[in-house]
Amino acid sequence: MNVIIEPVRPKTDETEEIRTGLSDEEVRLRQEEHGFNELQEEKRKSAGAVFVDQFKDFLVIILNIAAIISAFLGEVESSIVILTVVLLNAALGTIQHVKAEKSLNSLKAMAAPSANVMRNGKVVQIPSREVVTGDLLIINAGDYICADARVLESHSLLINESSLTGESVPVEKNEDFVTTDAVALGDRKDMVFSGSFVTGGRGKAVVTAIGMDTEIGKIADLLENAKEKSTPLQERLDQFGKALAIGITVICLIVFALDVIRGRELADSFMFAVSLAVAAIPEALSSIVTIVLAFGTQKMAKENAIIRKLHAVESLGNISVICSDKTGTLTQNKMTVQHFYTDGKIFGSDQLQPGNKQHEKLLRMALLCNDAVTAGEQEIGDPTEIALVNIGKQYGFDERMEREQNERIGEVPFDSRRKFMSTIHRIGHKQVMITKGATDVLIPRISRIETAGGVQVITLQQIESIRQAAHSFADGGLRVLALAYKEVFPLKTGAVQEEGLTFLGLIAMMDPPREETEQAVDDCIRAGVKPVMITGDHKITAIAIAGQIGILKDPSEAIEGKDIEKLSDDELKDRIEQLSVYARVSPEHKIRIVRAWQEKGNVVAMTGDGVNDAPALKQADIGVAMGMAGTEVAKDASSMVLTDDNFSTIVKAVSNGRSMYNNIKNAIQFLLSGNAGAIFVVMYASLLALPVPFLPAHLLFINLLTDSLPAIAIGLEPHGKKVMKEMPRDKDEGLFSKRDVIQISLEGLLIAAVTIIAFRYGLTAGGPADATTMAFATLCLARLFHGFNCRSKDSIFRIGIFSNIACWTAFLIGVILLNLVLTFGLFEVAPLGKEQLYMVYGLAFVPLIVIQTGKLIFVKS
């Protein structure tokens, strides 16, 4: 017969209303006053409105004007091509936006569909949205909590609050009133919270908050108000686009005015200005950046990082701070035994001696005073007890077999007031009570100790040794359990005295760091990225883990949430760079920490898996959610999801992001230097009153066909090893430095020079039609060759001529397309003779030779 001895609990004062529940009339009045128990959502932009917004970009406006003017002048083909590109970019932008806004829907999905409440003196089941403040919740194992409520009655009530606090260990709730709200959420033992799950026991609680007033409602509000940050690339492209648009507009107006003053026909002047605009604007820029990022996301997906928002790839390379959750991100999210203390000695988890009766007794009794079970990958029970089962298996003990052979005949369940539990077993011909719990409460109940020489009366020196060992473990962030036993007489009643115990040993455990985390943290630091730990766990545990993996150098770098509360935003910002560990924090603290780093000019990544992480994930420049252990809310609020929940994957992602940014920048440099060459040629012809060197169709052919493929190929350049030895880029750094602008201008002038030579040669040898065709062909081919120059800052002879096959493929396709146009007279080109073609090919090859020679001489390897 099992004997279950329940501890006596103090009675809670109850009003008649709480005992019988609310009346229907009272429920109606409260719903009228406070509304329903549901999360609210701001009105979202429609897909149509988002689509219209895509046309507000300066460059897009100029392209639309160019298309209208081209159509007005009879260049219908040019207008169709321009509008097609604009519509394609608008569609891509709309699709990305619509996919992004799903966070609140996932929060709503967490709400319990129904709740058991006391109404009119009876227990009834109602939809959770109809729960009101003052309702008496009837709570049982397996229930989802639908509102925040104050515990009135608890019978071993265990609640999993990991979605809110990030900590996986269930919390035992009781009716002892917590007198202050200043304590962390995880320490409010008298409250149950909406969105949490009942893992064991039963109880009653009176509802104190519903809907947006609950803790999960506050998270929903933070999520709604957290502003998603534009990535550095988006910001730089926007700034660059505006500057380019203004510059192009001014130049086009000047050229148009000059032509009109010189007496050129108004239509011809328009055509010249349109040619210049088309030459200057990299029409496919947005599409190329999107395509390069898409290819990058495919590569990263193979490395366990799924990118939800394309531009986030580039932001990864700009990260200067990674704020990481502890549980499940830096650690394994699995309690594991680290040390034993028995017979006055400390042993590592793998140092117990098989055949040693004392050691085997310690393991066996840890399995018997234990309710957890494992079956293959499935583990059921309290994480602490699961750790004891797993260490037993490590030494060949099977918990099911041990429990069958040593039948449990009685138990005193664990209780948070007592801080220990006891079970009674038949072991051989004896009845033995095994007790495990907190060291400080068990020591006064111990009178003897098990040693290698047998059982002895415990001495003060031995008690002090036990206490020192327990303190040493606790200071290292370990959770410590003491194990003791005593032989009891055959049970006749439910009464048992948990006194006069024999001490057997201490077992210390923790959620250990992932094996690869220490190396990943070191890689971050060497790359100029500061790793920061933000956790809901206790400060001592956080300090211990952070110290092990290299995040923390000194305990003074750690702070608790209650201390953050005392700091103003300005004070937090002043201290932020001296802090590396934040313990016992709330969702509001996480957002404040992220914002403080951002206000210091940093690009911040935030990792997490719980609902409590979602607002900070959205606020961060890069939100990184865990794919295996993460909630859907966290995933929806993130920019990137790790399918292996591995911190080291973030380091790979940072490396990929840095390489991809360099590749995108090189691709844009390729487009701009080529377009600069076209602009210089058009301006040269305008200033000297020469015929138009290019038709808009020629420039669109170059920009959209022969330029696009090389630009994409440059974006696929293999990643270099040097990127993780560089410091993060300055957040306020422009897309291009003055040096870059000078380089782009010089390269453009070089391409323009050979094009002008071809143009003048065509005018002399054939006439305007031949000149235009030679200028078009030379510019197109020179830009195709220029693709090899833009692969890297270094020479292709050092990085490998054939290391990027995509560049060769793009070059060959471009050459084939150009020759088809010249052969069949497409795009209004004139037929060229052999001598003219030789001139085109020879001149187009010159910039490649000059630039590569310069890199070999002036660029250090």
Side-chain angles (χ1 to χ4, degrees):
M1 179 183 70
N2 285 359
V3 178
I4 301 175
I5 306 169
E6 289 278 351
V8 178
R9 295 182 178 278
K11 292 183 178 180
T12 304
D13 291 336
E14 294 182 349
T15 65
E16 181 65 26
E17 186 178 79
I18 289 178
R19 284 198 299 271
T20 61
L22 300 177
S23 66
D24 292 339
E25 178 63 19
E26 184 61 33
V27 169
R28 184 184 65 79
L29 291 173
R30 296 191 184 197
Q31 285 180 345
E32 287 179 358
E33 183 180 355
H34 302 292
F36 287 99
N37 180 29
E38 55 190 4
L39 301 181
Q40 304 300 317
E41 180 178 13
E42 288 185 4
K43 188 177 180 181
R44 305 286 184 188
K45 272 189 177 181
S46 66
V50 174
F51 183 75
V52 171
D53 286 346
Q54 307 300 312
F55 293 90
K56 296 179 181 178
D57 183 78
F58 277 10
L59 286 177
V60 172
I61 291 171
I62 289 180
L63 281 174
N64 286 330
I65 294 172
I68 293 169
I69 295 174
S70 296
F72 178 76
L73 297 175
E75 298 291 330
V76 178
E77 181 182 331
S78 297
S79 298
I80 292 173
V81 174
I82 294 173
L83 290 174
T84 300
V85 172
V86 170
L87 289 170
L88 177 63
N89 286 332
L92 285 171
T94 303
I95 290 169
Q96 290 177 38
H97 181 91
V98 170
K99 284 182 177 180
E101 297 296 336
K102 295 180 180 177
S103 303
L104 198 62
N105 291 334
S106 293
L107 267 179
K108 288 180 175 180
M110 288 189 64
S114 62
N116 293 318
V117 299
M118 183 74 76
R119 292 274 177 90
N120 302 305
K122 296 179 180 179
V123 177
V124 294
Q125 188 176 74
I126 62 171
S128 61
R129 74 185 297 269
E130 295 181 8
V131 170
V132 298
T133 54
D135 260 329
L136 181 63
L137 292 179
I138 310 300
I139 303 169
N140 292 293
D143 289 349
Y144 275 98
I145 305 297
C146 66
D148 290 1
R150 160 95 164 84
V151 176
L152 299 178
E153 185 178 316
S154 171
H155 300 280
S156 300
L157 183 61
L158 292 173
I159 307 287
N160 185 327
E161 297 176 345
S162 59
S163 62
L164 289 168
T165 64
E167 300 311 310
S168 58
V169 179
V171 179
E172 182 169 9
K173 299 295 183 176
N174 58 56
E175 57 267 37
D176 290 346
F177 182 59
V178 177
T179 57
T180 175
D181 289 334
V183 298
L185 201 67
D187 292 328
R188 299 192 63 186
K189 303 295 179 66
D190 65 329
M191 293 290 295
V192 294
F193 301 103
S194 178
S196 57
F197 179 69
V198 184
T199 61
R202 57 189 175 84
K204 294 179 182 179
V206 62
V207 174
T208 58
I210 62 171
M212 296 300 288
D213 293 327
T214 62
E215 293 298 327
I216 203 170
K218 293 174 185 176
I219 291 175
D221 187 55
L222 289 172
L223 201 53
E224 285 288 289
N225 294 320
K227 296 180 180 178
E228 282 191 276
K229 306 289 290 183
S230 296
T231 70
L233 180 61
Q234 285 174 310
E235 292 174 353
R236 288 164 187 157
L237 284 176
D238 287 344
Q239 294 168 359
F240 168 73
K242 289 175 183 177
L244 184 62
I246 293 170
I248 290 169
T249 302
V250 171
I251 292 172
C252 287
L253 289 174
I254 292 172
V255 169
F256 174 71
L258 285 174
D259 276 3
V260 171
I261 291 170
R262 286 175 178 167
R264 181 175 284 186
E265 291 290 332
L266 193 62
D268 290 341
S269 298
F270 265 133
M271 202 63 205
F272 219 103
V274 170
S275 296
L276 186 58
V278 173
I281 297 174
E283 288 84 359
L285 177 60
S286 296
S287 298
I288 288 168
V289 170
T290 301
I291 291 168
V292 170
L293 291 174
F295 274 112
T297 61
Q298 290 180 4
K299 180 181 185 296
M300 293 176 71
K302 294 176 183 177
E303 298 177 353
N304 301 312
I306 296 175
I307 302 297
R308 295 185 63 254
K309 298 166 188 176
L310 281 181
H311 284 81
V313 178
E314 175 272 330
S315 286
L316 283 165
N318 211 37
I319 285 171
S320 52
V321 177
I322 298 178
C323 296
S324 176
D325 188 34
K326 177 184 73 69
T327 306
T329 307
L330 295 169
T331 65
Q332 299 175 19
N333 196 20
K334 183 177 182 179
M335 293 300 290
T336 306
V337 173
Q338 303 291 309
H339 297 286
F340 296 95
Y341 171 85
T342 186
D343 196 18
K345 301 173 185 175
I346 293 176
F347 299 87
S349 61
D350 58 350
Q351 293 179 334
L352 294 187
Q353 300 163 7
N356 183 306
K357 291 183 179 180
Q358 189 175 349
H359 293 180
E360 289 183 352
K361 192 172 187 178
L362 178 64
L363 291 169
R364 179 176 289 109
M365 289 192 171
L367 296 181
L368 294 178
C369 189
N370 190 322
D371 294 315
V373 293
T374 62
E377 295 296 318
Q378 188 177 22
E379 298 177 336
I380 303 170
D382 181 87
T384 300
E385 295 193 332
I386 290 172
L388 298 177
V389 171
N390 287 333
I391 194 67
K393 288 186 183 296
Q394 182 178 319
Y395 284 94
F397 288 85
D398 181 86
E399 78 276 13
R400 296 177 189 271
M401 186 179 297
E402 292 298 329
R403 292 167 190 171
E404 287 175 6
Q405 294 174 354
N406 304 281
E407 178 190 0
R408 181 187 295 190
I409 58 174
E411 61 184 291
V412 184
F414 177 83
D415 179 81
S416 57
R417 291 181 186 80
R418 290 158 26 92
K419 296 185 180 179
F420 62 93
M421 68 176 288
S422 297
T423 57
I424 303 168
H425 302 264
R426 285 196 181 94
I427 300 178
H429 300 294
K430 299 177 182 179
Q431 288 188 170
V432 179
M433 181 176 69
I434 306 169
T435 302
K436 80 170 192 290
T439 309
D440 57 335
V441 296
L442 280 193
I443 284 179
R445 299 171 183 268
I446 292 169
S447 59
R448 299 195 294 175
I449 185 170
E450 177 112 8
T451 68
V455 177
Q456 302 173 358
V457 175
I458 197 164
T459 65
L460 291 176
Q461 185 178 354
Q462 288 170 325
I463 289 174
E464 183 59 27
S465 177
I466 294 169
R467 285 200 171 109
Q468 286 180 1
H471 288 155
S472 174
F473 290 148
D475 290 344
L478 301 176
R479 180 172 296 171
V480 186
L481 284 177
L483 202 66
Y485 71 95
K486 81 170 183 176
E487 187 176 339
V488 295
F489 294 104
L491 291 173
K492 295 180 180 179
T493 68
V496 72
Q497 293 295 317
E498 294 162 305
E499 305 285 347
L501 303 175
T502 299
F503 178 78
L504 187 55
L506 301 177
I507 303 175
M509 60 189 75
M510 71 183 305
D511 178 12
R514 291 174 177 269
E515 292 180 4
E516 61 284 341
T517 300
E518 186 175 356
Q519 181 61 51
V521 167
D522 184 59
D523 290 342
C524 280
I525 294 171
R526 285 192 290 107
V529 180
K530 181 177 177 65
V532 173
M533 178 191 288
I534 302 179
T535 178
D537 209 341
H538 292 282
K539 186 176 179 180
I540 291 176
T541 305
I543 288 174
I545 295 291
Q548 282 186 43
I549 61 180
I551 286 180
L552 189 77
K553 303 301 181 187
D554 188 276
S556 64
E557 297 173 25
I559 189 172
E560 283 189 304
K562 64 182 181 181
D563 297 318
I564 296 175
E565 290 281 357
K566 300 173 185 175
L567 299 177
S568 67
D569 288 343
D570 288 337
E571 288 172 334
L572 179 60
K573 189 169 74 171
D574 290 340
R575 288 192 60 187
I576 198 77
E577 292 177 337
Q578 284 75 51
L579 299 172
S580 301
V581 173
Y582 302 84
R584 270 344 221 181
V585 294
S586 69
E588 292 90 344
H589 298 149
K590 293 182 180 183
I591 282 193
R592 287 186 64 196
I593 293 164
V594 170
R595 283 178 179 157
W597 278 112
Q598 288 172 333
E599 288 172 6
K600 297 287 281 189
N602 292 278
V603 177
V604 182
M606 170 74 190
T607 75
D609 54 10
V611 175
N612 60 319
D613 297 317
L617 289 174
K618 190 174 180 181
Q619 174 67 36
D621 298 277
I622 293 289
V624 184
M626 303 298 111
M628 296 171 67
T631 61
E632 289 304 314
V633 181
K635 293 174 189 175
D636 286 342
S638 68
S639 308
M640 182 172 83
V641 178
L642 304 184
T643 58
D644 60 355
D645 289 12
N646 196 326
F647 183 81
S648 64
T649 302
I650 302 174
V651 180
K652 295 179 188 174
V654 170
S655 175
N656 284 331
R658 289 187 176 188
S659 295
M660 202 162 297
Y661 179 81
N662 289 339
N663 290 348
I664 289 172
K665 186 175 175 180
N666 290 339
I668 296 173
Q669 180 179 333
F670 164 75
L671 294 174
L672 294 182
S673 53
N675 284 12
I679 292 171
F680 291 143
V681 174
V682 172
M683 292 184 68
Y684 169 83
S686 175
L687 292 172
L688 296 183
L690 297 173
V692 178
F694 312 110
L695 298 177
H698 293 163
L699 296 169
L700 281 169
F701 173 84
I702 294 172
N703 284 353
L704 298 179
L705 296 176
T706 57
D707 263 9
S708 297
L709 290 177
I712 293 170
I714 292 168
L716 302 179
E717 183 71 22
H719 295 176
K721 296 180 180 179
K722 295 180 181 179
V723 291
M724 289 303 280
K725 296 179 181 178
E726 302 169 357
M727 292 295 103
R729 300 182 303 276
D730 187 339
K731 187 177 182 180
D732 298 323
E733 175 187 306
L735 186 61
F736 293 109
S737 63
K738 289 182 180 179
R739 182 176 179 180
D740 293 328
V741 172
I742 292 171
Q743 182 179 342
I744 289 170
S745 300
L746 291 174
E747 290 173 352
L749 283 170
L750 187 57
I751 293 171
V754 296
T755 304
I756 289 169
I757 292 171
F759 181 62
R760 296 305 297 251
Y761 180 86
L763 281 175
T764 305
D770 284 3
T772 300
T773 300
M774 286 190 70
F776 158 64
T778 304
L779 178 65
C780 183
L781 194 57
R783 290 169 76 157
L784 286 172
F785 279 121
H786 188 50
F788 294 103
N789 292 326
C790 295
R791 283 178 53 192
S792 170
K793 293 179 180 178
D794 208 344
S795 169
I796 57 173
F797 297 105
R798 290 198 186 110
I799 64 174
I801 297 175
F802 298 103
S803 60
N804 187 345
I805 300 302
C807 269
W808 281 97
T809 304
F811 173 77
L812 293 173
I813 291 173
V815 171
I816 291 170
L817 288 173
L818 175 61
N819 281 283
L820 287 174
V821 168
L822 295 175
T823 301
F824 295 101
L826 306 174
F827 288 91
E828 302 177 47
V829 300
L832 298 178
K834 287 184 178 180
E835 185 178 333
Q836 291 171 312
L837 285 173
Y838 291 153
M839 176 69 76
V840 166
Y841 273 87
L843 288 170
F845 192 62
V846 170
L848 177 66
I849 296 174
V850 173
I851 293 171
Q852 287 302 313
T853 302
K855 287 185 175 183
L856 285 171
I857 294 172
F858 298 109
V859 178
K860 295 180 180 180
S861 58

